[in-house]
Amino acid sequence: MHAVASPQAVIRRKREGHALAAGELREFIAGIADGSLCDGQLGAFAMAVCLRGMDHDETVALTLAMRDSGRRLDWRAADLGGPVLDKHSTGGVGDCTSLLVAPMLAACGAFVPMLSGRGLGHTGGTLDKLGAIPGYRSAPKPDELVRVVRDTGLAIVGASADLAPADRRLYAVRDVTATVDAIPLITASILSKKLAAGVDALVMDVKSGNGASLPDHDSALALARELVAVANGAGLRTEALVTDMSQPLAPAAGNALELRIALACLRGEPVAPRLVAASIELCAVALRQGGLAADLDEARARARAALASGAAAERFARMVHALGGPADLFEATDRHLPPAPCSADLPATAGGWLAAIDTRALGEAVVDLGGGRRHGDDRIDTRVGLDAIVPVGSAIEAGQPLLRVHAADDAALSATLARLAPCFRIDERPPAGQPLVLARIDAKAAGA
């Protein structure tokens, strides 16, 4: 066991508002990783950081210490022949951009070892969406991960237990001590895993709006700046987009339903224009950072071509098959993604213009249908959720469906329809338009 020098002193100093030295943080994080610190000490540390904050140097040191608490991937030995790029989103309802961005990047010559997570709360997790695919292995062994990335250009998988293990333990304590939303801890949690994954450049998608984890725009902007500043301070080229989450990004929420939308977009079907637009912007930033395009205009053109040509779909299909999924997922989607037993439409009670959606309530409804988690060990029904969600700004007629609910039984179907009726606001006039990209943060804008 690793002996941590006076963890109580570290907690006390942070509780009193002092800046912690890099050495103190390394010792403390090592104690988290090897189990010599108890959960009570972790909770006290997290609360002290939540209340007192951390300056830039502290957050960089915390992030690096968490990165170094376990194994680090090194892609140089794999001789991939292209930049190793990644994208991360802070999460939202109907956000399945990873399923588009990763194969688009791979089709453009990048290599994408995307370490993703499972959902907790009202936002869905990328691994849960992929979990709807029969046979898909989201926890490959290290040599298999390298092989799949080399052969297909991408692998969307979970982080292994030995990558940033201190984060795994600290996050579990944060979840039960109301300290999840502390920006230094969010920043270190996200970036420690990305740094451990050995990527060359990263684009962050920070969500803002009533369906985001940070609904307040100023908080989302502050997080974006912190992520970019700390990542660049730790040696990882990173830029961020702050994007709108005041309505579902895709017209679906729920694991298999979102996967179906992503597959349709990869096939070139015009089913989710906001999802595609967000994915192209994120892909473009990463391509420019990785030197695969001279500027954003060229990068956008390359991303659009990857979709239109079917190259991104081909990459996704190869990845799925290489990780144990069916070879004909695109051709036999209905067979591999069976529907929920019960479904029904939610009709509009009046005509007019759809002015607003309580997006968080839609995400919470999916969780209560069984499509998400309240606790880390909850089982998920990948079939359930919502689709055919009408976008904000649409003209509405009385009785027109606003969305369709997919449920495991009639009782859950009826209860969900009743609870979602108040979530849509219909006005007499069309609402003012909301841009999809609310802010762009590069290293200069973040003060890095």
Side-chain angles (χ1 to χ4, degrees), residues 152-178:
T152 72
L154 72 159
I156 309 176
V157 297
S160 60
D162 58 354
L163 285 177
D167 172 66
R168 186 183 302 265
R169 192 168 167 228
L170 182 57
Y171 188 90
V173 170
R174 288 168 56 208
D175 188 45
V176 297
T177 55

Side-chain angles (χ1 to χ4, degrees), residues 269-284:
E269 299 172 22
V271 297
R274 293 180 78 252
L275 173 64
V276 170
S279 300
I280 287 171
E281 287 300 314
L282 292 163
C283 185

Side-chain angles (χ1 to χ4, degrees), residues 405-419:
V405 177
H406 299 257
D409 55 57
D410 288 330
L413 181 67
S414 298
T416 304
L417 289 169
R419 73 183 283 183

Side-chain angles (χ1 to χ4, degrees), residues 183 206-209 214-225 242:
I183 284 181
V206 179
K207 301 297 186 184
S208 173
L214 292 174
D216 176 69
H217 179 67
D218 289 343
S219 297
L221 199 59
L223 176 59
R225 288 176 176 144
V242 179

Side-chain angles (χ1 to χ4, degrees), residues 233-255:
L236 174 59
R237 294 197 306 277
T238 300
E239 297 181 29
L241 302 182
V242 179
T243 61
D244 175 46
M245 185 42 69
S246 60
Q247 61 177 309
L249 185 58
N255 298 294

Side-chain angles (χ1 to χ4, degrees), residues 87 94 123 174 185 258 375:
K87 162 261 170 192
T123 63
R174 288 168 56 208
L185 300 180
E258 289 182 56
H375 305 285

